[in-house]
Amino acid sequence: MTIQQPIASTTEDLMANAIRALAMDAVQAANSGHPGAPMGMADVATVLFNRFMTVDPKHDNWPDRDRFVMSAGHGSMLVYAINHLLGYDDMPMEQLKRFRQLGSRTAGHPEYGHAKGIETTTGPLGQGISTAVGMALAERMMNARFGTDLVDHFTYVIAGDGCLMEGISHEAIDFAGHLKLSRLIVLWDDNGITIDGGTELSTSTDQQARFAAAGWHVQAVDGHDKEAVAAAIETARASDRPSMIACKTVIGFGAPNKQGSHDVHGAPLGEDEIAAAREALGWSWPPFEVPDQVRDGWRAVAARGAEARAGWARRLAASPKAEAFRAAHGAVDAKALDAAICAYKHRLSEDRPKVATRKASEMALDIVNGTLPNTVGGSADLTGSNNTKTKGQTPVKTGDYAGSYIHYGIREHGMAAAMNGIALHGGLKPYGGTFLAFADYCRPAMRLSSLMGVAVVYVMTHDSIGLGEDGPTHQPVETIASLRAMPNHLVFRPADAVETAEAWQIAMTQEATPSTLALSRQGLPTLRTRHTEANLTARGAYLLRDPGARDVTLIATGSEVEIAMAAADLLEDDGIKAAVVSAPCFELFAQQNPAYRAEVLGIAPRIGIEAAIRQGWDLMLRQEDGFVGMTGFGASAPAPDLYRHFGITAEAVAGLAKDMK
């Protein structure tokens, strides 16, 4: 295949070829990586940054910067090359030379928090474009609150064929089109190549028609014609809808013997092909060397961004909304929230309501949303079941983004990714709900929340066989264990309204850890009838009933704590002293010191009680200890019948305790 443009001559041509050279050199040095996408999209990316992007490398977290998301995360060297050329101080050439090596900032896929200028972790295809939808929505919501003087930026995405094949892309594209997120521009790397070969092997979708059907503005250009690319971006920026620009490119552009084939996708080019590419592109400089002319071109982009940021800073200083804007981007007012939750807990202990913890969550959210000004709720079409909308919240609508509640539709995966984007954008604190059984639809985005350290809150209701008649498809017997297995993720299963309030207090004050609240459908009594100012849920597990010298320890979570208390009463009638431990959050209990854990668990025989499988209970139970819970899937029947059928009852717990004594 012949190269489709003459040897580089203009500065912008050289700027693009610098990306190509750095990408192929870094991949070759690592003997690992994906040179094809960076080389193919170098022209598009150069036009985007050189003519449109507004960023300031010296202030990488400037709130009104444009966002750039490399959704095709395997093309990470495009990001690293650009950030080096722009002058980010943590991306010297040494980092590019150490591409994909232990301890470097230049990981195989872009990792949020590892280096400046990386807006989100990408790599799992489809996540980037879907997270970007949340960023674009947050931009419009913040604009509605603070005006164009303070919030006026674009979110740009480079997405590949793989991103658009992944199912999550449909959810994200549909949602963005419906809301008319006009500040979102997707540049599709339309190169027709997958790992296995040409895209015709596995798809015949007309992607342009698909985006258009979802309400997007759609254009198509030659991705190596810089003027055509620039004109398309200019038109997209003026649209009142999100835009997709199909950029027809040659993967590995510039490598004369490998470009255009899947061979260039995910392997080093080899020394001979790199030499041939240098000759074909007119790039005469040795590996990892960039001429001053090229650096000057890229640094001019940074200088333009610095000037824009300085103007924004002046507008912020003069704005009557400056204090509120800074507060929105700062840490949660933990002191105010602590005081509000503490007073609320006192009322709960006095009133002793019997409510499902999903309802208790709504009650606590009234306090949270009334205290914190920038919370944003939502649900995947289950608002009335998840109880995620509180009084005073108004929906975000197409063209009206001033609300604080988002109807995500039946798009659990898209919702979770969008919440990541909202949180990453800054200024808003998102939470969103669905049934716990559908956490598996959210899981890839939940995993990225944990990996990135983004403190999104997932409200997961109908948390056990207690949901009853909907049956085993909706009864998440294994889901809690799987979420507890996820690093850097707090899983709360509160026993009553007091623990639910405490869980919300903890979740909303996390700075780098997401949380899942697993909440019941069935009503549960208030067990914490004596008010404590301390947040006991923050200890992860604590003694709810302490008989002194104990014969057995009953450890339960959520709706089964009531069963444990009833079992303790039965055992007391038989002269057996049972301690009851409520364990709403295993992860927080694991963080306590050994002495505290030993005090709570004791040395007597233990029984774990949870309407779920035993896996993941090793923190609490020894091999010889007992467990009352599920060993298989559930069934369709009223909840009380199911608890009796599966033997999760106070009588069963008491019987096991007697057998173990």
Side-chain angles (χ1 to χ4, degrees):
M1 184 176 294
T2 58
I3 293 182
Q4 299 180 358
Q5 70 176 22
I7 289 176
S9 55
T10 69
T11 297
E12 200 169 50
D13 291 333
L14 288 170
M15 290 168 68
N17 284 340
I19 295 174
R20 294 187 173 101
L22 291 173
M24 61 187 183
D25 289 343
V27 171
Q28 186 67 28
N31 196 30
S32 172
H34 300 76
M39 296 177 74
M41 285 298 282
D43 294 314
V44 173
T46 298
V47 169
L48 173 64
F49 275 84
N50 190 41
R51 307 194 195 188
F52 298 100
M53 281 288 293
T54 303
V55 293
D56 182 359
K58 293 183 178 179
H59 297 270
D60 60 299
N61 290 322
W62 165 37
D64 203 32
R65 68 193 181 278
D66 287 336
R67 270 62 168 180
F68 172 66
V69 174
M70 186 70 185
S71 188
H74 53 273
S76 59
M77 264 311 303
L78 182 142
V79 178
Y80 304 142
I82 289 174
N83 287 0
H84 167 75
L85 293 166
L86 286 173
Y88 282 88
D89 61 10
D90 66 342
M91 196 55 64
M93 189 66 81
E94 183 61 29
Q95 288 293 327
L96 274 59
K97 292 178 179 179
R98 298 188 63 244
F99 178 54
R100 288 183 163 228
Q101 304 308 299
L102 184 64
S104 74
R105 298 187 187 95
T106 47
H109 295 83
E111 301 282 354
Y112 173 77
H114 284 210
K116 298 176 182 179
I118 297 173
E119 301 289 356
T120 183
T121 294
T122 56
L125 294 177
Q127 286 291 330
I129 185 175
S130 305
T131 303
V133 169
M135 294 177 180
L137 175 55
E139 189 275 340
R140 289 292 82 193
M141 292 177 70
M142 291 294 285
N143 175 271
R145 287 158 174 74
F146 295 101
T148 300
D149 277 353
L150 299 183
V151 185
D152 183 23
H153 55 266
F154 285 84
T155 300
Y156 297 97
V157 181
I158 287 181
D161 293 299
C163 294
L164 303 190
M165 286 190 209
E166 290 286 357
I168 188 177
S169 73
H170 175 78
E171 298 183 20
I173 292 163
D174 186 15
F175 186 54
H178 171 71
L179 288 177
K180 292 189 176 181
L181 300 180
S182 59
R183 295 309 183 90
L184 175 63
I185 298 175
V186 172
L187 302 154
W188 172 32
D189 182 9
D190 180 15
N191 60 35
I193 293 294
T194 65
I195 291 175
D196 284 352
T199 52
E200 69 277 2
L201 289 171
S202 55
T203 182
S204 54
T205 296
D206 184 337
Q207 294 290 358
Q208 295 179 51
R210 180 165 77 112
F211 275 82
W216 288 55
H217 178 262
V218 177
Q219 303 172 81
V221 298
D222 177 350
H224 302 297
D225 182 338
K226 295 181 179 63
E227 295 307 320
V229 170
I233 295 174
E234 191 68 58
T235 300
R237 285 165 57 95
S239 175
D240 63 352
R241 294 175 287 162
S243 291
M244 188 271 261
I245 304 173
C247 303
K248 193 63 181 176
T249 62
V250 177
I251 191 170
F253 184 90
N257 303 303
K258 293 187 176 182
Q259 64 179 11
S261 77
H262 68 277
D263 294 335
V264 78
H265 167 77
L269 296 181
E271 297 292 352
D272 291 344
E273 187 68 5
I274 288 176
R278 275 184 155 75
E279 182 177 356
L281 294 169
W283 188 264
S284 59
W285 294 273
F288 299 109
E289 186 173 315
V290 177
D292 290 342
Q293 178 186 357
V294 173
R295 290 195 181 278
D296 290 345
W298 281 102
R299 296 300 166 85
V301 175
R304 184 184 71 229
E307 183 178 353
R309 189 207 60 81
W312 175 87
R314 290 191 292 271
R315 295 194 299 274
L316 176 65
S319 172
K321 298 181 178 181
E323 183 177 352
F325 186 86
R326 293 190 183 100
H329 287 84
V332 164
D333 188 345
K335 186 176 181 180
L337 185 60
D338 290 354
I341 292 291
C342 188
Y344 172 61
K345 282 167 48 182
H346 196 280
R347 295 199 303 273
L348 288 174
S349 294
E350 290 181 340
D351 296 343
R352 304 182 182 184
K354 182 175 183 178
V355 294
T357 50
R358 62 171 175 157
K359 178 62 178 177
S361 173
E362 179 187 3
M363 293 158 57
L365 272 171
D366 270 328
I367 306 300
V368 171
N369 290 339
T371 305
L372 305 179
N374 61 338
T375 52
V376 176
S379 173
D381 198 52
L382 289 167
T383 295
S385 295
N386 299 149
N387 298 86
T388 41
K389 187 172 183 289
T390 62
K391 59 181 180 289
Q393 285 189 298
T394 57
V396 172
K397 299 177 182 178
T398 302
D400 180 3
Y401 309 101
S404 62
Y405 193 82
I406 302 169
H407 291 285
Y408 287 102
I410 304 93
R411 304 184 183 98
E412 290 89 354
H413 197 174
M415 174 185 71
M419 287 198 293
N420 282 344
I422 292 169
L424 288 164
H425 177 276
L428 300 169
K429 186 80 173 174
Y431 67 87
T434 186
F435 288 175
L436 182 60
F438 305 146
D440 286 341
Y441 285 177
C442 305
R443 185 175 300 276
M446 295 176 77
R447 184 173 185 270
L448 285 185
S449 299
S450 301
L451 181 62
M452 291 188 287
V454 178
V456 171
V457 181
Y458 300 95
V459 183
M460 302 289 188
T461 68
H462 297 60
D463 69 342
S464 72
I465 60 170
L467 69 87
E469 292 85 345
D470 276 345
T473 60
H474 286 52
Q475 293 167 4
V477 297
E478 82 289 1
T479 310
I480 296 171
S482 68
L483 291 176
R484 286 174 179 153
M486 193 177 292
N488 191 39
H489 197 104
L490 299 179
V491 180
F492 295 95
R493 192 165 185 252
D496 65 1
V498 176
E499 283 191 358
T500 304
E502 291 181 336
W504 269 110
Q505 180 184 0
I506 297 163
M508 295 306 288
T509 52
Q510 293 298 305
E511 295 184 356
T513 301
S515 301
T516 292
L517 275 67
L519 305 169
S520 75
R521 181 193 184 207
Q522 70 272 37
L524 303 176
T526 298
L527 301 174
R528 291 268 295 279
T529 56
R530 180 180 298 175
H531 173 65
T532 60
E533 291 195 5
N535 186 320
L536 299 183
T537 298
R539 305 301 298 268
Y542 61 93
L543 278 168
L544 181 63
R545 176 172 176 153
D546 185 0
R550 63 183 88 166
D551 299 310
V552 65
T553 301
L554 309 180
I555 309 166
T557 76
S559 47
E560 286 69 69
V561 177
E562 178 187 10
I563 293 174
M565 293 291 280
D569 287 340
L570 293 176
L571 291 168
E572 185 177 36
D573 290 342
D574 290 332
I576 299 172
K577 295 181 179 180
V580 176
V581 173
S582 179
C585 184
F586 285 21
E587 296 77 23
L588 291 177
F589 187 62
Q591 294 174 16
Q592 306 307 308
N593 64 63
Y596 175 78
R597 295 202 304 268
E599 177 188 353
V600 169
L601 296 176
I603 60 173
R606 304 170 194 166
I607 298 174
I609 313 160
E610 189 169 60
I613 62 172
R614 178 169 174 159
Q615 185 174 348
W617 271 77
D618 288 348
L619 176 68
M620 303 290 184
L621 302 179
R622 300 156 298 200
Q623 186 174 358
E624 66 272 17
D625 289 327
F627 183 76
V628 173
M630 298 294 292
T631 57
F633 292 109
S636 177
D641 294 346
L642 290 173
Y643 273 87
R644 286 191 295 270
H645 174 73
F646 289 108
I648 307 174
T649 64
E651 292 77 14
V653 173
L656 179 57
K658 292 174 185 177
D659 291 342
M660 294 175 64
K661 189 173 180 296

